Amino acid sequence: MKRNDIRNVAIIAHVDHGKTTLVDEMLKQSGTFRTNEVVQERVMDSNSLEKERGITILSKNTAIKYKDVKINIVDTPGHADFGGEVERIMNMVDGVLLLVDAYEGPMPQTRFVLQKALKAGLTPVVVVNKIDKPEARVEEVIDEVLDLFIELGADDDQLEFPAVYASAKEGFAKLDMDDEEKDMIPIYESILEHIPSPEGEEDDGLQLLITSIDYDKYIGRIGIGKITRGKLNKGQSATLVRTDGKEVNVKISNLYTYEGLNRVDSEQATVGEIVAISGIADINIGETVCSIDKVDPLPSVKIDDPTISMTFMVNDSPFAGREGDYVTSRHLKDRLERELLSNVAMKMEEISADSFKILGRGELHISILIETMRREGYEFAVSRPEVILKKTEEGLQEPMEILFVEVPEESVSAVIDKLNMRKAEMLNMEPTGTGIMKLKFRIPSRALIGYRSEFLTDTKGYGVFHHLFDGYDKYRGEIRARNRGSLIAFESGTAAGYGINSAQERGQMFISPGTEVYEGMIVGESSRLEDIMVNVCKKKQLTNMRASGSEDSLKLTPPIIFSLEQALEFIADDELVEVTPKSIRLRKKILNKSARQKAQKK
């Protein structure tokens, strides 16, 4: 059976190529919203972090009605760190809209998601967005997309992709550059014409692979997936096949389909429909819901292994419990376990009663979790990110990345020197003709931890880099992570201008006068290789003696204020980041100086 009244399509794009804006415009022009409805901008970015950073983190579903055809659209993240979100949803769709910037062309992150889509045999439609830009170079971009398809091993049908030219911001699309600029109809028509209809046996036993999980505090866990065979009714009894092959009898208490951005109660759904079901308390990604009389599970979703780990632990600093609502090991463990239920690319290992190792796909992947938790009121400490090494018959192996760099020509030598020190191997170098040089390297994943801030300094803020996981390879030996030590608070108290003035002669400060500090807290970066203890709480002695010039006001250098990612990049192996809803502090793992020295001798 072919469902000609349904199309299931995913949108693929690099970060900031206008994917969420395009979906906004498609929703508006399809009549999804009422005429008097107030619609916020970038409506698909439902998460506050997504809105702030302008990136998509979670894959989300929406549905548009056009010419009696329901177009289910799945928004995918454009960042490789959220690849776990991408890999799952490839089973839910039959085609993809590849969105490419008319000036920048296909970018590294596009390559990652597109590779997954082509491998899954999905039909592509290319949308060249932002054609209203004065510097748009549409024809060259189409050629670059074709080269990328060939490089990624697309088959003959995929290479014959249709192209649509659009400006999501201005709300128009066209099939030819000379056509009139009217509306988004050419995109809807291209989806109907080129994206295949879902197929399957409607009268056979039910098959529904769970590819996404949502959570609602009133109805519990919600499993989302596409019906590949049979029918599903509200209140139906079914058999759930776990990823380990175990079979459990369950009842579907609620059945939902998508209309616009909303989940709508439905009595029945059939082949090809993307549905959400509730009533199964412990439903998980990769499990198949089958009819009781025909248990026939689908292959589970294959997710790439994590490459980076971080240790989350209960905060034991002198300021513990002051700013957070959830501070105990039980709170921390419950929250991390809840994250694992929907974040399939993440794993957890319990190290002790109050520390847990979290394994993820990259620094950004785990730092988004940390930022989300601190906003929810959690207080805890995290260690420096570490790469996950593998022991094989050939010896120790480590994760590698392909690094794509764009830098001004005058910064090229500085960037190459720094990357050589980090064991990078240059693969390609090409000028763009606009004063920007494109470089391509293969580099160990651990060499990129802490490199971003150094890179921005070397390129005066003009450089851009993106990296993609490129499998495991032979361990490259030791890489020096940081060439400077830390300035460490000598005692607990309140930082004073006089003490900071003395300390800033030894390095760059991270705190200002009035900041509360404790012994072992990192208050700055040393100008030397070794750590230095400083007394930032020291106040000027009050005496009757005065000397000329001593009353001049102190000249304090403005402190560096770290974001969460910068703090994680800065810390060394024996240091932690203390994360609370109000503060991000850096500290030594062992706060007491003599205890620290004893541990180092051991």
Side-chain angles (χ1 to χ4, degrees):
M1 175 192 171
K2 254 193 170 187
R3 288 291 303 271
N4 290 321
D5 60 336
I6 288 181
R7 297 290 187 280
N8 296 322
V9 62
I11 294 198
I12 293 174
H14 181 77
V15 177
D16 201 31
H17 277 198
K19 169 165 48 74
T20 310
T21 309
L22 183 85
V23 176
D24 276 7
E25 203 55 44
M26 288 174 74
L27 283 163
K28 284 173 192 167
Q29 293 196 21
S30 67
T32 301
F33 304 121
R34 298 188 314 276
T35 47
N36 64 342
E37 191 170 342
V38 178
V39 182
Q40 57 190 26
E41 209 178 308
R42 290 189 290 125
V43 70
M44 285 293 275
D45 283 348
S46 53
N47 178 316
S48 60
L49 275 174
E50 293 180 315
K51 282 213 185 318
E52 280 172 32
R53 295 173 183 233
I55 59 172
T56 302
I57 296 168
L58 308 164
S59 75
K60 291 176 277 305
N61 301 18
T62 185
I64 290 168
K65 261 285 205 296
Y66 175 71
K67 284 188 175 175
D68 295 328
V69 177
K70 185 178 189 179
I71 302 171
N72 283 312
I73 296 177
V74 185
D75 189 12
T76 65
H79 201 287
D81 276 19
F82 308 110
E85 296 283 324
V86 172
E87 287 158 38
R88 300 192 320 237
I89 58 97
M90 290 305 164
N91 293 333
M92 284 163 68
V93 297
D94 304 290
V96 292
L97 285 184
L98 172 64
L99 194 66
V100 183
D101 188 296
Y103 170 66
E104 292 184 351
M107 297 286 277
Q109 305 288 3
T110 320
R111 168 190 300 260
F112 170 81
V113 188
L114 181 62
Q115 192 169 14
K116 301 281 181 194
L118 295 176
K119 210 171 175 181
L122 303 178
T123 304
V125 171
V126 174
V127 180
V128 181
N129 191 28
K130 305 191 184 182
I131 59 167
D132 54 319
K133 272 187 173 180
E135 62 271 36
R137 40 184 201 95
V138 176
E139 286 178 16
E140 294 99 308
V141 166
I142 288 288
D143 289 341
E144 287 170 17
V145 172
L146 183 60
D147 292 343
L148 179 62
F149 272 57
I150 293 166
E151 195 183 322
L152 296 178
D155 62 33
D156 292 347
D157 291 337
Q158 289 169 332
L159 288 173
E160 293 294 319
F161 58 82
V164 184
Y165 310 100
S167 167
K169 194 176 170 191
E170 298 299 324
F172 70 81
K174 45 192 181 178
L175 297 172
D176 192 285
M177 284 299 286
D178 298 326
D179 291 352
E180 194 185 343
E181 299 174 356
K182 281 201 303 190
D183 47 34
M184 302 300 272
I185 284 175
I187 292 185
Y188 304 134
E189 290 290 349
S190 298
I191 291 172
L192 263 54
E193 186 182 341
H194 300 286
I195 303 293
S197 309
E199 294 182 34
E201 295 287 334
E202 190 180 27
D203 300 325
D204 207 341
L206 171 69
Q207 257 186 347
L208 165 65
L209 180 68
I210 301 300
T211 45
S212 199
I213 292 285
D214 204 348
Y215 183 80
D216 185 290
K217 58 183 174 186
Y218 300 111
I219 55 177
R221 302 194 70 180
I222 298 167
I224 301 164
K226 183 176 82 170
I227 300 174
T228 48
R229 197 177 69 194
K231 287 180 187 160
L232 181 59
N233 295 305
K234 184 177 180 176
Q236 176 181 332
S237 295
T239 299
L240 181 72
V241 184
R242 304 266 186 219
T243 47
D244 59 2
K246 192 178 169 190
E247 296 176 12
V248 187
N249 287 336
V250 293
K251 187 179 181 185
I252 314 295
S253 51
N254 289 299
L255 172 64
Y256 308 95
T257 53
Y258 288 89
E259 278 182 24
L261 294 165
N262 304 318
R263 274 198 293 261
V264 183
D265 264 312
S266 296
E267 292 300 318
Q268 188 186 65
T270 69
V271 166
E273 187 75 81
I274 291 177
V275 297
I277 58 171
S278 69
I280 308 169
D282 53 354
I283 193 165
N284 263 312
I285 287 161
E287 298 177 344
T288 310
V289 180
C290 304
S291 49
I292 289 173
D293 54 351
K294 188 169 184 180
V295 179
D296 182 12
L298 288 157
S300 187
V301 187
K302 170 75 180 86
I303 302 290
D304 287 349
D305 292 331
T307 56
I308 273 190
S309 71
M310 269 187 209
T311 305
F312 284 53
M313 57 197 85
V314 172
N315 184 19
D316 63 354
S317 86
F319 294 172
R322 284 192 187 183
E323 297 172 353
D325 300 323
Y326 309 106
V327 295
T328 66
S329 59
R330 184 176 57 81
H331 285 137
L332 186 60
K333 187 181 179 185
D334 287 351
R335 178 61 182 85
L336 293 173
E337 284 176 343
R338 199 163 75 242
E339 183 67 23
L340 298 182
L341 297 176
S342 58
N343 200 334
V344 286
M346 206 170 263
K347 292 177 182 169
M348 181 173 92
E349 295 170 6
E350 196 166 336
I351 300 171
S352 66
D354 56 5
S355 63
F356 311 90
K357 186 184 269 191
I358 292 294
L359 295 82
R361 288 287 279 270
E363 267 181 285
L364 184 63
H365 187 208
I366 302 180
S367 70
I368 289 288
L369 168 63
I370 296 170
E371 183 61 42
T372 306
M373 284 174 65
R374 72 181 281 243
R375 290 180 184 207
E376 290 171 1
Y378 286 84
E379 181 179 312
F380 53 98
V382 289
S383 70
R384 177 179 166 80
E386 291 176 9
V387 297
I388 298 164
L389 304 175
K390 283 183 178 176
K391 287 179 182 172
T392 63
E393 291 173 7
E394 294 100 58
L396 199 60
Q397 292 201 323
E398 66 174 327
M400 301 294 289
E401 309 265 346
I402 296 291
L403 178 68
F404 300 87
V405 179
E406 290 182 26
V407 292
E409 287 175 358
E410 61 270 19
S411 308
V412 168
S413 60
V415 169
I416 292 174
D417 285 349
K418 290 281 170 69
L419 287 172
N420 282 342
M421 285 159 61
R422 290 171 178 263
K423 314 280 187 189
E425 166 194 348
M426 190 190 282
L427 304 176
N428 193 21
M429 180 175 181
E430 57 173 290
T432 59
T434 57
I436 298 288
M437 195 69 82
K438 282 187 175 182
L439 309 170
K440 184 177 171 185
F441 297 87
R442 192 160 189 262
I443 185 168
S445 298
R446 63 196 163 99
L448 291 173
I449 296 172
Y451 176 58
R452 189 175 293 274
S453 50
E454 205 174 308
F455 172 77
L456 289 171
T457 305
D458 290 341
T459 60
K460 299 181 175 66
Y462 289 106
V464 179
F465 77 69
H466 302 283
H467 50 94
L468 296 177
F469 177 60
D470 189 45
Y472 275 75
D473 205 344
K474 199 172 81 183
Y475 185 70
R476 295 287 198 269
E478 193 179 337
I479 298 170
R480 179 150 200 93
R482 215 169 87 194
N483 52 10
R484 289 186 181 179
S486 301
L487 296 179
I488 304 160
F490 171 74
E491 63 179 3
S492 299
T494 304
Y498 185 73
I500 288 178
N501 186 51
S502 305
Q504 71 183 12
E505 294 168 13
R506 305 196 166 193
Q508 175 71 51
M509 301 306 294
F510 299 160
I511 61 164
S512 50
T515 306
E516 284 199 71
V517 300
Y518 52 80
E519 182 192 358
M521 181 169 150
I522 296 167
V523 293
E525 182 181 35
S526 166
S527 55
R528 298 182 183 181
L529 189 60
E530 66 271 8
D531 295 338
I532 301 173
M533 300 293 289
V534 290
N535 188 357
V536 288
C537 303
K538 188 178 179 185
K539 291 184 172 70
K540 188 175 181 182
Q541 294 300 316
L542 297 174
T543 65
N544 291 331
M545 302 295 290
R546 293 285 182 271
S548 65
S550 68
E551 299 303 307
D552 291 351
S553 60
L554 301 173
K555 289 186 172 61
L556 299 182
T557 312
I560 297 174
I561 307 298
F562 280 146
S563 68
L564 175 62
E565 274 90 356
Q566 288 168 330
L568 293 171
E569 284 184 354
F570 176 81
I571 57 172
D573 292 335
D574 65 336
E575 296 168 353
L576 298 173
V577 177
E578 181 184 339
V579 180
T580 78
K582 294 179 185 172
S583 315
I584 291 171
R585 301 185 188 95
L586 282 70
R587 52 163 284 195
K588 286 290 180 182
K589 277 184 184 173
I590 302 170
L591 297 175
N592 181 268
K593 184 185 177 182
S594 52
R596 211 164 42 242
Q597 287 171 338
K598 280 178 192 171
Q600 281 170 352
K601 281 176 186 170
K602 280 182 186 175

